[in-house]
Amino acid sequence: MTLPHEAETAAPESGPERSPAGPGGAGSASGRSPQGAERTAAAPSDAENRSAPEETPRRAPGPAEAPTPGEATTTKADHAKPAKPAKPAKPAAGVRRGRKAFWLALALLATLLLLALVSAGTGAYRIPTADVLASAQHRLGLGGAPLDRVGESVLWNVRLPRVVLALLVGASLGCAGALMQGVFGNPLAEPGVIGISAGAAVGAVAAIGLGLSFFGNWTITVCAFVAGLITVSSVYLLSRNGGKTEVVTLILTGIAVNAFAGALIGLFVFFADSGQVNQITFWQLGSLAQATWPKVLAVLPCAVAGLLVAPFYARRLDLLSLGERPARHLGIDVERLRLALILVVALLTAAAVAVAGVITFIGLLVPHLLRMANGPGHRFLVPGSALAGAVVLVAGDLAARTLAQPAELPLGVLTALIGSPFFFWLLRRTRRKQGGWA
C-alpha cells in the first residue's frame, strides 16, 4: 500500500516513461516511444524556426548607447516599411541646353526689336515709339497713320536705313567671328584681330583712292571681298604649323597683316585728294553715318547669303572641334570645310567693311559671351552670334549717336574701347588655363 505523499513523489519519476496524453488520450493509445514523442513535440518548433527569420538577441543599450528622448530606434518593423516612390528623373543635359538656347534666342530677338524701335525714334528730331509703330503699320497697309512730312523723311530716309545697316553689319561680324573660331579651333580668332577686316578695308580704300567704278555700286564690295579673301588665306597658311594653328603664331600673323594693311592705307591717303581722304578716314574709324537705302541694298545679298549658308556647317564644326584626325575618321573633309568657311567669312566681313569701315572686336566678344551662356555647340552658337552681334552693334550705334550730342562718336573707336579690355582679359585667362604659351 502506497501512501499519498509517496505517490506524489513517485509521479515525476514515471513521467519520462509515459507520453503525456494529448487531446482525447491519443498520446497513451499510440504506444509511441519516449524518443518519438520528443521528436513529435520538437517538429512544430523546427518548422516555426524555418519559416520565421532568425533574430539576433538584442543587447540592452548601455548608458552611452541609450536613445535620447525623441530619437528613433531601428526595429524590424522599420525594415519592413515599403520604399518611397522614386522622384521623377531630371531632364537630360541636352534637353535643358535646348530649352536654354530657345529662351536665350527669344530674349535676344525681343531685345533687338526693342533696340530697333528705340534707335529709330532717338536723335536730334525725337519721334515717339508709338508714332514709329503707327508709321510702320501705315507703310505696310495695316492701318496706323503717317507722320508729318519732316518726321516721315527723318524716319524712313535717315533712321531706318541706319538701323537696318547696323543690324546687317553686326550680324555679319558676329557670325564671322563664330565661324573663324570654329575653323581655326581657337577662341582668340576674330576677323579684326587676325587682320581680315584691315585687309578688306585696303580693298575698299583702293577702290576709293583709284576711283574704280567698274561694278557700279558693287565696286567697293567686290574689292573688299577680294582683298579680304587674300588676307584670310594668307593668315590661314602662315599660322599653321605641323597641321595645327598655334595661338602665338595666329596673333603675331594678325599683327603683321594689320601693320601691312595700315601702311597700304596710309599710302593711298598720301596720293588721294581731299574728298577721297574724307572717305578713307570713314573706313579707318568705322561709322554708319552715311547709311542710305542703296548701301543697304548693296550689302544685303552678301550678308544674307553668308548668314543663310553658315548654319549648315554647324554640325561639321562640332566634329572639327574634336580635332582634325577624329573629324577625318568621322567622314569630314577638313580642308574642303575650311576652304568653304573661309569663303563665307570673307564674304561676311567684306559685306560689313564695305559699308561700315573697320569695326573690330564684335566677332571676338559676342561668341565668347554666348559660349559662357549656353556652351560651345555650334548649332546655337552660329545663328546666336549673328543675332547677338546685331544686338550689340545696334546698341553701339545708338550710344555713338547719343553719348556726345550733337557730335557723333566713331563706331569703330567705341567698339575698340569696349573690346580691347575684354580681349586682354581673355588672353590672361587663356594663358592661365594653359599654364603658359609654350
Side-chain angles (χ1 to χ4, degrees):
M1 183 174 180
T2 306
L3 296 176
H5 68 274
E6 294 176 350
E8 293 176 0
T9 313
E13 298 176 359
S14 61
E17 298 177 0
R18 301 176 60 186
S19 299
S28 59
S30 61
R32 292 179 181 173
S33 63
Q35 292 82 2
E38 290 175 3
R39 284 194 299 269
T40 306
S45 62
D46 292 341
E48 183 180 357
N49 290 339
R50 285 194 300 269
S51 61
E54 288 187 10
E55 185 172 352
T56 306
R58 188 184 300 274
R59 182 173 59 88
E65 301 175 359
T68 58
E71 180 180 354
T73 56
T74 305
T75 61
K76 187 175 179 181
D78 293 334
H79 295 291
K81 289 181 180 179
K84 294 181 180 180
K87 295 181 180 180
K90 294 181 179 180
V95 177
R96 292 198 302 269
R97 187 174 290 114
R99 291 176 182 173
K100 189 175 181 180
F102 171 78
W103 289 111
L104 185 58
L106 196 62
L108 287 173
L109 184 60
T111 304
L112 180 60
L113 292 176
L114 180 62
L115 282 173
L117 287 174
V118 173
S119 182
T122 304
Y125 186 90
R126 185 162 185 83
I127 304 174
T129 303
D131 293 344
V132 173
L133 291 174
S135 179
Q137 290 176 355
H138 176 72
R139 291 290 182 112
L140 295 174
L142 300 176
L147 304 175
D148 55 25
R149 185 176 60 84
V150 176
E152 285 284 308
S153 178
V154 169
L155 178 62
W156 291 96
N157 297 328
V158 178
R159 300 274 176 79
L160 286 181
R162 186 161 183 164
V163 171
V164 174
L165 198 60
L167 190 152
L168 291 175
V169 171
S172 300
L173 293 176
C175 184
L179 293 179
M180 286 288 292
Q181 293 171 11
V183 167
F184 284 93
N186 194 303
L188 299 177
E190 193 262 345
V193 172
I194 64 173
I196 184 173
S197 297
V202 168
V205 168
I208 295 171
L210 298 177
L212 303 179
S213 59
F214 46 83
F215 285 114
N217 291 335
W218 294 83
T219 303
I220 296 177
T221 304
V222 171
C223 292
F225 171 72
V226 173
L229 179 61
I230 293 173
T231 303
V232 74
S233 301
S234 302
V235 171
Y236 172 72
L237 294 175
L238 293 174
S239 61
R240 288 182 64 81
N241 183 19
K244 62 180 181 180
T245 305
E246 297 179 352
V247 176
V248 176
T249 308
L250 183 72
I251 296 176
L252 293 178
T253 304
I255 292 173
V257 169
N258 278 314
F260 185 70
L264 291 178
I265 292 174
L267 190 63
F268 283 114
V269 169
F270 179 77
F271 289 106
D273 57 27
S274 59
Q276 292 172 340
V277 168
N278 291 334
Q279 286 183 284
I280 292 173
T281 304
F282 161 77
W283 296 112
Q284 287 180 304
L285 297 179
S287 176
L288 299 175
Q290 300 180 11
T292 58
W293 286 118
K295 288 189 176 182
V296 172
L297 295 177
V299 74
L300 184 64
C302 298
V304 170
L307 293 174
L308 290 179
V309 169
F312 290 100
Y313 290 95
R315 179 179 173 275
R316 279 171 276 187
L317 283 173
D318 287 336
L319 298 178
L320 184 61
S321 64
L322 301 175
E324 290 190 17
R325 184 173 297 177
R328 287 193 181 95
H329 287 312
L330 292 171
I332 302 298
D333 190 341
V334 176
E335 295 303 321
R336 180 179 296 179
L337 174 63
R338 281 182 168 156
L339 181 61
L341 289 177
I342 284 172
L343 291 173
V344 175
V345 169
L347 182 66
L348 290 171
T349 307
V353 172
V355 295
V358 180
I359 298 176
T360 56
F361 292 104
I362 297 293
L364 176 68
L365 186 144
V366 168
H368 272 284
L369 294 178
L370 291 184
R371 281 193 189 93
M372 294 177 184
N374 196 63
H378 287 85
R379 292 186 180 182
F380 170 76
L381 186 62
V382 173
S385 296
L387 193 58
V391 170
V392 170
L393 203 61
V394 170
D397 182 60
L398 178 61
R401 291 193 293 112
T402 56
L403 288 179
Q405 285 183 340
E408 181 175 325
L409 295 175
L411 185 56
V413 173
L414 187 62
T415 57
L417 286 174
I418 297 173
S420 298
F422 181 84
F423 181 61
F424 176 74
W425 170 79
L426 187 62
L427 281 174
R428 293 291 298 262
R429 179 172 176 263
T430 305
R431 184 179 183 182
R432 187 170 58 251
K433 281 190 173 183
Q434 293 181 354
W437 296 119

Coordinates of all heavy atoms in Angstrom, one line a residue, residues 294-348:
P294 N 20.4 102.6 -100.8 CA 21.3 102.0 -101.8 C 22.4 101.2 -101.2 O 22.8 100.1 -101.6 CB 21.8 103.1 -102.7 CG 20.7 104.1 -102.6 CD 20.2 104.0 -101.2
K295 N 23.0 101.7 -100.1 CA 24.1 101.0 -99.4 C 23.6 99.7 -98.7 O 24.2 98.7 -98.7 CB 24.8 101.9 -98.4 CG 25.7 102.9 -99.0 CD 26.5 103.6 -98.0 CE 27.4 104.6 -98.7 NZ 28.3 105.3 -97.7
V296 N 22.4 99.8 -98.2 CA 21.8 98.6 -97.6 C 21.5 97.6 -98.7 O 21.8 96.4 -98.5 CB 20.4 99.0 -96.9 CG1 19.7 97.8 -96.5 CG2 20.7 99.9 -95.7
L297 N 21.0 98.0 -99.8 CA 20.8 97.0 -100.9 C 22.1 96.5 -101.5 O 22.1 95.3 -101.9 CB 20.0 97.7 -102.0 CG 18.5 98.1 -101.6 CD1 17.9 98.8 -102.8 CD2 17.7 96.9 -101.2
A298 N 23.2 97.2 -101.4 CA 24.4 96.7 -101.9 C 25.0 95.7 -101.0 O 25.6 94.7 -101.5 CB 25.4 97.9 -102.0
V299 N 24.8 95.8 -99.7 CA 25.4 94.8 -98.8 C 24.4 93.7 -98.5 O 24.9 92.6 -98.0 CB 25.8 95.5 -97.5 CG1 24.6 95.9 -96.6 CG2 26.8 94.7 -96.7
L300 N 23.2 93.9 -98.7 CA 22.2 92.9 -98.3 C 22.4 91.5 -99.0 O 22.3 90.5 -98.2 CB 20.8 93.4 -98.7 CG 19.6 92.5 -98.3 CD1 19.5 92.4 -96.8 CD2 18.3 93.1 -98.8
P301 N 22.7 91.3 -100.3 CA 22.8 90.0 -100.8 C 24.0 89.2 -100.2 O 23.9 88.0 -99.9 CB 23.0 90.2 -102.3 CG 22.5 91.6 -102.6 CD 22.7 92.4 -101.3
C302 N 25.1 89.9 -100.0 CA 26.3 89.2 -99.4 C 26.0 88.8 -98.0 O 26.3 87.7 -97.6 CB 27.5 90.2 -99.5 SG 28.0 90.7 -101.1
A303 N 25.4 89.7 -97.2 CA 25.2 89.4 -95.8 C 24.2 88.3 -95.7 O 24.4 87.3 -94.9 CB 24.7 90.6 -95.1
V304 N 23.1 88.4 -96.4 CA 22.0 87.3 -96.3 C 22.6 86.0 -96.8 O 22.3 84.9 -96.2 CB 20.8 87.8 -97.1 CG1 19.8 86.6 -97.2 CG2 20.1 89.0 -96.5
A305 N 23.3 86.0 -97.9 CA 23.9 84.7 -98.4 C 24.8 84.1 -97.4 O 24.7 82.9 -97.1 CB 24.6 84.9 -99.7
G306 N 25.7 84.8 -96.8 CA 26.6 84.3 -95.8 C 25.8 83.8 -94.5 O 26.1 82.8 -94.0
L307 N 24.8 84.6 -94.1 CA 24.1 84.2 -92.9 C 23.2 83.0 -93.1 O 23.0 82.2 -92.1 CB 23.3 85.4 -92.4 CG 24.0 86.6 -91.9 CD1 23.1 87.8 -91.6 CD2 24.8 86.3 -90.6
L308 N 22.7 82.8 -94.3 CA 21.9 81.6 -94.6 C 22.8 80.4 -94.7 O 22.3 79.3 -94.4 CB 21.1 81.8 -95.8 CG 19.9 82.9 -95.7 CD1 19.2 83.0 -97.1 CD2 19.0 82.4 -94.6
V309 N 24.0 80.5 -95.3 CA 24.8 79.3 -95.5 C 25.5 78.9 -94.2 O 25.7 77.7 -94.0 CB 25.9 79.7 -96.6 CG1 26.9 78.6 -96.7 CG2 25.2 79.8 -98.0
A310 N 25.9 79.8 -93.4 CA 26.7 79.5 -92.2 C 26.1 78.4 -91.3 O 26.8 77.5 -90.9 CB 27.0 80.7 -91.4
P311 N 24.8 78.4 -90.9 CA 24.3 77.4 -90.0 C 24.3 76.0 -90.5 O 24.3 75.1 -89.7 CB 22.8 77.9 -89.8 CG 22.8 79.3 -90.1 CD 23.8 79.5 -91.2
F312 N 24.4 75.8 -91.9 CA 24.5 74.4 -92.4 C 25.8 73.8 -92.1 O 26.0 72.6 -92.2 CB 24.3 74.5 -93.9 CG 22.9 74.8 -94.3 CD1 22.5 76.1 -94.7 CD2 21.9 73.8 -94.2 CE1 21.2 76.4 -95.0 CE2 20.5 74.1 -94.6 CZ 20.2 75.4 -95.0
Y313 N 26.8 74.5 -91.7 CA 28.1 74.0 -91.3 C 28.3 73.8 -89.8 O 29.4 73.4 -89.3 CB 29.3 74.9 -91.8 CG 29.4 74.9 -93.3 CD1 28.8 75.9 -94.0 CD2 30.2 74.0 -94.0 CE1 28.9 76.0 -95.4 CE2 30.3 74.0 -95.3 CZ 29.7 75.0 -96.1 OH 29.8 75.1 -97.4
A314 N 27.2 73.9 -89.0 CA 27.3 73.9 -87.6 C 27.7 72.5 -87.1 O 28.6 72.3 -86.3 CB 26.0 74.3 -86.9
R315 N 27.1 71.4 -87.7 CA 27.4 70.1 -87.2 C 28.8 69.7 -87.5 O 29.5 69.1 -86.7 CB 26.4 69.1 -87.9 CG 26.7 67.6 -87.5 CD 25.7 66.7 -88.2 NE 26.0 65.3 -87.9 CZ 26.8 64.6 -88.7 NH1 27.4 65.2 -89.7 NH2 27.1 63.4 -88.4
R316 N 29.3 70.1 -88.7 CA 30.7 69.8 -89.1 C 31.7 70.6 -88.3 O 32.8 70.1 -88.0 CB 30.9 70.0 -90.6 CG 30.4 68.9 -91.5 CD 30.4 69.3 -92.9 NE 29.2 70.0 -93.3 CZ 28.8 70.3 -94.5 NH1 29.6 70.0 -95.5 NH2 27.7 71.0 -94.8
L317 N 31.3 71.7 -87.8 CA 32.2 72.5 -86.9 C 32.3 71.8 -85.6 O 33.3 71.8 -84.9 CB 31.7 73.9 -86.8 CG 32.0 74.9 -87.9 CD1 31.3 76.2 -87.7 CD2 33.5 75.1 -88.1
D318 N 31.2 71.2 -85.1 CA 31.2 70.5 -83.9 C 32.1 69.3 -84.0 O 32.9 69.0 -83.0 CB 29.8 70.0 -83.5 CG 28.9 71.1 -83.0 OD1 29.5 72.1 -82.5 OD2 27.7 71.0 -83.1
L319 N 32.1 68.6 -85.1 CA 33.0 67.5 -85.3 C 34.5 67.9 -85.4 O 35.4 67.3 -84.9 CB 32.6 66.7 -86.5 CG 31.2 66.0 -86.5 CD1 30.9 65.3 -87.8 CD2 31.1 65.0 -85.3
L320 N 34.7 69.1 -86.1 CA 36.0 69.6 -86.3 C 36.6 70.0 -84.9 O 37.8 70.0 -84.7 CB 36.0 70.8 -87.2 CG 37.4 71.4 -87.6 CD1 38.3 70.4 -88.3 CD2 37.2 72.6 -88.5
S321 N 35.8 70.4 -84.0 CA 36.3 70.8 -82.7 C 36.9 69.6 -81.9 O 37.6 69.8 -80.9 CB 35.1 71.4 -81.8 OG 34.1 70.5 -81.6
L322 N 36.6 68.4 -82.3 CA 37.2 67.2 -81.7 C 38.6 67.0 -82.1 O 39.4 66.3 -81.5 CB 36.4 65.9 -82.1 CG 34.9 65.9 -81.7 CD1 34.3 64.6 -82.3 CD2 34.8 65.9 -80.2
G323 N 39.0 67.7 -83.2 CA 40.4 67.5 -83.7 C 40.3 67.1 -85.2 O 39.3 66.6 -85.7
E324 N 41.4 67.4 -85.9 CA 41.4 67.1 -87.3 C 41.3 65.6 -87.6 O 40.6 65.2 -88.5 CB 42.7 67.7 -88.0 CG 42.7 69.2 -88.1 CD 43.8 69.7 -88.9 OE1 44.4 68.9 -89.7 OE2 44.1 70.9 -88.8
R325 N 42.1 64.8 -86.9 CA 42.1 63.4 -87.1 C 40.8 62.7 -86.8 O 40.2 62.0 -87.6 CB 43.3 62.7 -86.4 CG 43.4 61.2 -86.6 CD 44.7 60.7 -86.0 NE 45.9 61.3 -86.5 CZ 47.1 61.0 -86.0 NH1 47.2 60.2 -85.0 NH2 48.1 61.6 -86.6
P326 N 40.2 63.0 -85.6 CA 38.8 62.4 -85.4 C 37.8 62.9 -86.4 O 36.9 62.1 -86.8 CB 38.5 62.9 -84.0 CG 39.8 63.1 -83.3 CD 40.7 63.6 -84.4
A327 N 37.9 64.1 -86.8 CA 36.9 64.6 -87.8 C 37.1 63.9 -89.1 O 36.1 63.6 -89.8 CB 37.1 66.1 -88.0
R328 N 38.3 63.6 -89.6 CA 38.5 62.9 -90.8 C 38.0 61.4 -90.7 O 37.4 60.9 -91.6 CB 40.0 62.8 -91.1 CG 40.6 64.2 -91.6 CD 41.9 64.0 -92.3 NE 42.5 65.2 -92.7 CZ 43.3 66.0 -92.1 NH1 43.7 65.6 -90.8 NH2 43.7 67.1 -92.6
H329 N 38.2 60.8 -89.5 CA 37.6 59.5 -89.3 C 36.1 59.4 -89.3 O 35.5 58.4 -89.6 CB 38.1 58.9 -88.0 CG 39.6 58.5 -88.0 ND1 40.2 57.7 -89.0 CD2 40.6 58.8 -87.1 CE1 41.4 57.6 -88.8 NE2 41.7 58.2 -87.7
L330 N 35.5 60.6 -89.0 CA 34.0 60.6 -89.0 C 33.5 61.1 -90.3 O 32.3 61.4 -90.5 CB 33.6 61.6 -87.9 CG 33.8 61.2 -86.5 CD1 33.5 62.3 -85.5 CD2 32.9 59.9 -86.2
G331 N 34.4 61.2 -91.3 CA 33.9 61.5 -92.7 C 33.9 62.9 -93.1 O 33.3 63.3 -94.1
I332 N 34.6 63.8 -92.4 CA 34.7 65.2 -92.7 C 35.9 65.5 -93.5 O 37.0 65.1 -93.1 CB 34.7 66.1 -91.4 CG1 33.5 65.8 -90.5 CG2 34.8 67.5 -91.7 CD1 32.1 66.1 -91.2
D333 N 35.7 66.1 -94.7 CA 36.8 66.6 -95.5 C 37.3 68.0 -94.9 O 36.7 69.0 -95.2 CB 36.4 66.8 -96.9 CG 37.6 67.0 -97.9 OD1 38.7 67.5 -97.4 OD2 37.5 66.8 -99.1
V334 N 38.3 67.9 -94.0 CA 38.7 69.1 -93.3 C 39.1 70.3 -94.1 O 38.7 71.4 -93.9 CB 39.8 68.7 -92.2 CG1 40.3 69.9 -91.5 CG2 39.3 67.7 -91.3
E335 N 40.0 70.0 -95.1 CA 40.5 71.1 -96.0 C 39.4 71.7 -96.8 O 39.3 72.9 -96.9 CB 41.6 70.5 -96.9 CG 42.8 70.0 -96.1 CD 43.4 71.1 -95.3 OE1 43.4 72.3 -95.7 OE2 43.8 70.8 -94.1
R336 N 38.5 70.9 -97.3 CA 37.3 71.5 -98.1 C 36.4 72.3 -97.1 O 35.9 73.4 -97.5 CB 36.6 70.4 -98.8 CG 35.4 70.9 -99.6 CD 34.7 69.7 -100.3 NE 35.5 69.1 -101.2 CZ 35.1 68.1 -102.0 NH1 33.9 67.5 -101.8 NH2 36.0 67.5 -102.9
L337 N 36.2 71.8 -95.9 CA 35.4 72.5 -95.0 C 36.0 73.9 -94.6 O 35.3 74.9 -94.6 CB 35.2 71.7 -93.7 CG 34.5 72.3 -92.5 CD1 33.0 72.7 -92.9 CD2 34.5 71.4 -91.3
R338 N 37.3 73.9 -94.4 CA 37.9 75.1 -94.0 C 37.9 76.1 -95.2 O 37.7 77.3 -95.0 CB 39.4 74.8 -93.6 CG 39.4 74.4 -92.1 CD 40.8 74.1 -91.7 NE 40.8 73.9 -90.2 CZ 41.8 73.3 -89.6 NH1 42.8 72.8 -90.2 NH2 41.7 73.2 -88.2
L339 N 38.1 75.6 -96.4 CA 38.1 76.5 -97.5 C 36.8 77.1 -97.7 O 36.6 78.3 -98.0 CB 38.5 75.7 -98.8 CG 38.6 76.5 -100.1 CD1 39.6 77.6 -100.0 CD2 38.9 75.5 -101.3
A340 N 35.7 76.3 -97.6 CA 34.3 76.8 -97.8 C 34.0 77.9 -96.7 O 33.5 78.9 -97.0 CB 33.3 75.7 -97.7
L341 N 34.4 77.6 -95.4 CA 34.1 78.5 -94.4 C 35.0 79.8 -94.5 O 34.5 80.9 -94.1 CB 34.3 77.9 -93.0 CG 33.3 76.8 -92.7 CD1 33.7 76.1 -91.3 CD2 31.9 77.4 -92.6
I342 N 36.2 79.7 -95.0 CA 37.0 80.9 -95.2 C 36.3 81.8 -96.2 O 36.3 83.0 -96.1 CB 38.4 80.5 -95.7 CG1 39.2 80.0 -94.5 CG2 39.1 81.7 -96.4 CD1 40.6 79.4 -94.9
L343 N 35.7 81.2 -97.3 CA 35.0 82.0 -98.3 C 33.8 82.7 -97.6 O 33.5 83.9 -97.9 CB 34.5 81.1 -99.4 CG 35.6 80.6 -100.3 CD1 35.1 79.6 -101.3 CD2 36.3 81.7 -101.1
V344 N 33.1 82.0 -96.8 CA 31.9 82.6 -96.1 C 32.3 83.7 -95.2 O 31.7 84.8 -95.2 CB 31.1 81.5 -95.3 CG1 30.0 82.1 -94.5 CG2 30.6 80.4 -96.3
V345 N 33.4 83.5 -94.4 CA 33.9 84.6 -93.5 C 34.3 85.8 -94.3 O 34.1 86.9 -94.0 CB 35.1 84.0 -92.7 CG1 35.8 85.2 -92.0 CG2 34.6 83.0 -91.7
A346 N 35.1 85.6 -95.4 CA 35.5 86.7 -96.3 C 34.3 87.4 -96.8 O 34.3 88.7 -96.9 CB 36.4 86.2 -97.4
L347 N 33.2 86.7 -97.2 CA 32.0 87.3 -97.8 C 31.3 88.2 -96.7 O 31.0 89.3 -97.0 CB 31.1 86.2 -98.3 CG 29.8 86.7 -98.9 CD1 30.1 87.4 -100.2 CD2 28.8 85.5 -99.2
L348 N 31.2 87.6 -95.5 CA 30.5 88.4 -94.4 C 31.3 89.6 -94.0 O 30.8 90.7 -93.8 CB 30.3 87.5 -93.2 CG 29.3 86.3 -93.4 CD1 29.3 85.4 -92.2 CD2 27.9 86.9 -93.5

